[in-house]
Amino acid sequence: MAGARAAAAASAGSSASSGSPQPQEPGLGELLEEFSRTQYRAKDCSGTGGSKVERIEKRCLELFGRDYCYSVIQNVNGDICGHYPQHIVFLEYESSEKEKDTFQSTVQVSKLQDLVNRSKTARCRGRFVCPVILFKGKHICRSATLAGWGELYGRTGYNYIFSGGADDAWADAEDLTEEDCALRSSDTHLFDKVRGYDIKLLRYLSVKYICDLMVENKKVKFGMNVTSSEKVDKAQRYADFTLLSIPYPGCEFFKEYKDRDYMAEGLIFNWKQDYVDAPLSIPDFLTCSLNIDWSQYQSWDLVQQTQNYLKLLLSIINNDDDSGLLVHCISGWDRTPLFISLLRLSLWADGLIHTSLKPAEILYLTVAYDWFLFGHMLVDRLSKGEEIFFFCFNFLKHIISEEFSALKTQRRKSLPARDAGFTVEDICMLRRKDRGSTTSLGSDFSLVMESSPGAAGSFTYETVELVPAGAQTQAAWRKSHSSSPQSMLWNRPQPSEDRLPPHQGLVEAKSSSSSSSNHSDNFFRMGSSPLEVPKPRLTALSERETRLQEVRSAFLAAYSSTVGLRAAAPSPSGAIGGLLEQFVRGVGLRGTSSSTL
C-alpha cells in the first residue's frame, strides 16, 4: 500500500511538472472531501456542512439545466426520503428545439409527487422509484428493493430506539411471513395497497423493465427476513413487468478488489455461499442479440460480469423505443449507483445525453448526484475497504470500445463502403504463430467492428499487422465482410517495455462477449499505482474512448489529491469480538470511522 501511495504521489508530481495537469471541475475537490468526511442526509443540511451541500446541489441543478428542461420534487429536510437529494430532479425533455419536438413529457409533476408520497413505504428505507436519466424520452430509474413486513411496521419505533432517530438501521423486529403479518394487522390488503401505489408509479413513468441486482431473493440479516423483491412477490403483482434477476456481488466483495491491489481481472465471486439463492434470470428475447453465454455467469470475473450486465442494460434501453428501466439492489446506494453512473457516462460518451457537458462536468454531476446526494456511505465503505465507488470510475477503461456504444447499430448502417485492402485469403495465408485470440485478456489483438478515428488513422502496413484471430472470429469476419467491408482484424505491435508480463491472478475470459480490456492500453501494470493518471497516447483514439479516458483521468487525479488510498479499520481481536462489532454496526449502535494511511 505504501508503494502504491508513493507511485500515486510520483504520478501527481510528474503531471504537475509537465505543465499539463488534468482540468478539474470547480468544487470537485470540495465535493470529494465532503463525501469522504460524512454521509449525506437531507435533514442535516444546516450549518457549515449544509452550505457545502447546498453548493453541491445548486451546481447539479445548473449542470442538468444545460441540456434539459426539468421540474423539482421538493424533499426539504428529507420529508420524502432521508437519503435522497433535497431537490430531486425530474427531467422532462431536452432543451434543444429538435429534441423538444421529438420527445415531450406526459408526466404531470404534481401527480408524480402524489404517487411518490403514497408509494415510498413500499420500498426499503423509503427509497422509492426515482427517475434519474432521460434517454430518448425514456426514464432510467433507481430505487431500493421492496420492503418487507418488518420494515413496514417496525421502522419508525425501532430506528428511533436503536439509532437515535436515524434512518440507517434495519427494521427487522420479528421474522414474520407476509401472511402472518397481514393477519395480525387485521388488514389483509395492506400489501396490495402499498405495492399497488408502487406499481402505479412505475406505470406512470412508463417503466417496463425491472433489473434486480440482489444475489438473494430476500435479504436476511441476523437470521431475519428484512426485505423482499419483485421476483418473489407471492401475489405476482409485478407479473406485467419484465423482471430480470441479474445477481451482482454486494459492496463487501469489493474489499477483495482492494486487497488485490485494485485488480478486478481474475476476481470471481463465490456463488456457493449459503445466502446466495437468486439465480440469473433474463427473458430470452433480451439476450438473443448480445452473443453472450449467460450460462457461464458464475465463472466470470468482476470485469466480465460488469461489462456483460452493462451491455444488457444498454441493449434494453436502446432497443425499446417506448419503455423505461428500473435498476435496484437492496438499499440502492452501492450497486445501483455503480450501474446508474456507468450508464450515464456511457451514454454521455456517445453524445446521446448531457451533450453540452465537458468531461470534468459530467464527472462532477455523476459523483455528486448519483453517488453523494443519493446516500452512498463512502465513509463507511472506505473504513471497511469496500471501494466500490473507486471501482466504478477506474472501470471506465474497460468500456471504451465501440461494443458498448449505443450508437454502433446506427453507425454500421450508415458507414460508407470502403476497400479494406486485404482479402480473407490474404489474412488466412498468415502463419499460425502470428495469430492471436480476441477473447484472451492478455491478447495483443483487437477486433475493430467499425471505422473510427482509432481504427482508420494514418496507419501503414509496416505499423499495422493484420492477423486472423481463430476460426470463430474468421467466420464472423467473413459473415460481416460484405456489409462492412471496412472491418478488419488488426494488431499494432507495442514497444517491448509496454508489454504486460503475465499475472498469476489473470484468467482468460470465457465469454464470447468478454472483456473489452483488449481494446485498452491501460492495463494495471505490475508495481504501478491504481491512482496513476493515464499518460496520453500517440495513436488516434475514438471520440468515445477519448471522452471516457478524460473522465477517468480527472477522477484519478482528484481522488488521489483528496481521498487517497485508505486502510480498513482493524477489527476487535477474537471471533466473539468481531461478531459483536458486526452486530452493533448492523443495528446502528456504533458508527464507523476511517483512517488514512
Side-chain angles (χ1 to χ4, degrees), residues 246-248 280 294 305-313 339:
I246 48 174
Y248 189 84
L280 184 138
W294 294 98
Q305 189 177 21
T306 309
Q307 287 177 324
N308 289 339
Y309 284 8
L310 181 61
K311 287 180 185 177
L312 174 65
L313 298 178
F339 282 96

Side-chain angles (χ1 to χ4, degrees), residues 14 71 79 95 128 132 179 243 290 308 345 354 476 542 577:
S14 61
S71 299
D79 294 338
S95 54
F128 57 88
V132 289
E179 292 78 4
L243 304 180
L290 291 176
N308 289 339
L345 290 169
H354 302 290
S542 69

Side-chain angles (χ1 to χ4, degrees), residues 339-354:
F339 282 96
I340 291 295
S341 192
L342 290 177
L343 281 170
R344 191 184 300 277
L345 290 169
S346 182
L347 293 172
W348 166 82
D350 289 333
L352 296 174
I353 62 174
H354 302 290

Side-chain angles (χ1 to χ4, degrees), residues 156-183:
T156 304
Y158 185 82
N159 282 349
Y160 183 80
I161 294 173
F162 291 102
S163 302
D167 191 21
D168 283 339
W170 292 99
D172 50 353
E174 294 186 60
D175 185 13
L176 301 175
T177 64
E178 295 177 4
E179 292 78 4
D180 290 339
C181 284
L183 291 173

Side-chain angles (χ1 to χ4, degrees), residues 470-487:
Q472 183 179 1
T473 306
Q474 291 176 23
W477 192 91
R478 291 189 185 99
K479 184 177 180 181
S480 63
H481 188 260
S482 59
S483 60
S484 299
Q486 75 284 357
S487 301

Side-chain angles (χ1 to χ4, degrees), residues 83-100:
H83 298 109
Y84 273 13
Q86 287 198 106
H87 308 289
I88 301 171
V89 175
F90 174 70
L91 302 176
E92 299 188 40
Y93 50 84
E94 291 192 50
S95 54
S96 67
E97 290 300 321
K98 178 182 177 181
E99 295 298 332
K100 180 178 179 180

Side-chain angles (χ1 to χ4, degrees), residues 132-338:
V132 289
I133 299 175
L134 184 64
F135 173 60
K136 294 183 178 179
K138 299 169 289 189
H139 292 291
I140 300 174
C141 306
R142 62 181 295 170
S143 73
T145 190
L146 294 177
W149 274 102
E151 179 170 5
L152 204 59
Y153 280 103
R155 175 201 290 261
T156 304
Y158 185 82
N159 282 349
Y160 183 80
I161 294 173
F162 291 102
S163 302
D167 191 21
D168 283 339
W170 292 99
D172 50 353
E174 294 186 60
D175 185 13
L176 301 175
T177 64
E178 295 177 4
E179 292 78 4
D180 290 339
C181 284
L183 291 173
R184 295 176 70 172
S185 70
S186 48
D187 183 2
T188 57
H189 301 293
L190 184 58
F191 255 118
D192 289 334
K193 180 180 179 180
V194 172
R195 292 186 179 174
Y197 283 123
D198 182 67
I199 291 171
K200 286 183 179 180
L201 176 58
L202 287 166
R203 287 176 175 164
Y204 194 59
L205 293 170
S206 299
V207 170
K208 177 181 178 181
Y209 304 95
I210 301 177
C211 297
D212 184 350
L213 297 165
M214 296 169 59
V215 297
E216 54 270 284
N217 289 319
K218 295 184 178 182
K219 177 65 178 179
V220 178
K221 201 170 183 71
F222 305 120
M224 294 174 258
N225 294 329
V226 293
T227 71
S228 184
S229 62
E230 298 90 352
K231 59 181 178 283
V232 293
D233 180 70
K234 293 181 180 179
Q236 296 186 342
R237 300 174 183 87
Y238 294 84
D240 291 338
F241 297 89
T242 301
L243 304 180
L244 296 86
S245 175
I246 48 174
Y248 189 84
C251 61
E252 300 86 358
F253 183 63
F254 289 83
K255 173 67 163 59
E256 297 186 38
Y257 165 69
K258 174 182 178 292
D259 290 344
R260 295 178 81 250
D261 289 333
Y262 303 90
M263 278 286 294
E265 294 90 343
L267 180 57
I268 301 176
F269 181 68
N270 179 12
W271 297 95
K272 299 186 182 300
Q273 298 175 81
D274 293 339
Y275 70 93
V276 178
D277 59 359
L280 184 138
S281 177
I282 308 171
D284 291 339
F285 75 93
L286 294 176
T287 63
C288 57
S289 63
L290 291 176
N291 192 29
I292 297 174
D293 185 358
W294 294 98
S295 66
Q296 298 298 313
Y297 78 97
Q298 293 188 356
S299 66
W300 296 339
D301 65 14
L302 187 58
V303 172
Q304 293 170 271
Q305 189 177 21
T306 309
Q307 287 177 324
N308 289 339
Y309 284 8
L310 181 61
K311 287 180 185 177
L312 174 65
L313 298 178
L314 289 168
S315 174
I316 290 172
I317 62 175
N318 205 34
N319 294 331
D320 192 318
D321 294 332
D322 304 314
S323 303
L325 168 73
L326 169 66
V327 178
H328 76 75
C329 49
I330 297 177
S331 294
W333 55 27
D334 289 309
R335 290 166 283 186
T336 297
L338 166 63

